[in-house]
Amino acid sequence: MPSPIPPTRLLPKDLFPSADISVCSSPLQQRGLGATLQVPPQRLHGKLGSRPWSSVIHWQQLRCVEAVGSGGFGSVYRAEYLGQTVALKKVKRRSKNRLASRQSFWAELNAAHLSHRNVVRVLAASTCVPADFQDEGSIGAIVMEFVGSRNLQQVIYESPEPLEEARCLRFSSDMAEALRFLHAHLLVHLDVKPPNVLLSPGGVCKLADFGCSLQLERERAPSSISPLLSHGCGTYSHRAPELLRGQPVTPKADIFSLGITMWQLLTREPPYTGDRQHVLYAVVARDLRPSLSHAVFASAQGRRRAELLGRCWSAEVRRRPSAEELLELLRSA
């Protein structure tokens, strides 16, 4: 099954570091990249919340406190930086696909210049990682706001606390708000799923992990998709069928993924069972979707929820609501 994301669609060609660039150089500092990726002047005083993001990490001011997560991408730590609690993400070099590792690292910075209540904010990033901060051959590190150690995956599947309808609605609205903001800036996340939605102590959802994200071009439509990164991006259970077919990326791919995530919130069950390849085939060829015969969809309100989910994961991209339309539908629910 082809992957939806080729290397050239993750970032402009200019942003790919060539083999002869030193470990401390940053593609964001290369010439000719346009205003949106220019690194603002440093401000080392005052609170981190008021600082622009930086392409330099002041390692002497950074102290790891504890590990809070790890995976194929690397490791995340709670840390102290310039007097405040932050999250430090060390992106590791994948031995089997080093190009994918670099693409993932630079894609993480697609939202670095943006700030929104429901998006985890990037504070600093660097490809120059000192030896005492290395973690499994890190190719780079990113300092982000520290939201907490809980994500929606844990809330849905590992917590005994109830997920009442009002709470599900609030979480869904938070994710739709994040996507509305990102899509307005022509940024597509492409990996919306419960583990990538962090939950603050105040119960606010924040979308994280932009390693699969794509900055769309305003001037022309996206080009055709090539099948080069067969396992490098996205999660098969949440991936839109048009991407599996190798068709162009649009913001509606995120709406499909959000629909699957909303179903998980409502049912607290995995969306599919069975072999990965069989699921992928069925999603594309047989319009397989999570079951809407669950008890939570039996009431009149539940049937309206089911109808909304059906629109979000429709095989016809044009039938899916935009993030803004989805937000309005959730507010009126």
Side-chain angles (χ1 to χ4, degrees), residues 11-27:
L11 284 172
K13 184 177 180 181
D14 312 23
L15 297 190
F16 288 99
S18 61
D20 60 350
I21 292 179
S22 66
V23 69
C24 293
S25 61
S26 166

Side-chain angles (χ1 to χ4, degrees), residues 21 58 61 66-67 88 104 106 116 118 126-127 132 134 136 151 172 196 216 238 245 249 266 270 285 287 299:
I21 292 179
H58 299 273
Q61 301 293 328
E66 63 176 347
L88 173 66
S104 177
W106 295 115
H116 189 272
N118 300 116
S126 176
T127 55
D132 53 341
Q134 282 287 343
E136 299 182 30
N151 59 47
S172 299
N196 289 342
L216 299 178
H238 293 66
R245 293 191 189 99
V249 174
L266 291 167
D287 287 337
S299 65

Side-chain angles (χ1 to χ4, degrees), residues 50 56 64 76 135 160 202 272 305:
S50 62
V56 175
C64 291
V76 177
D135 193 9
Y272 306 113
R305 293 276 188 269

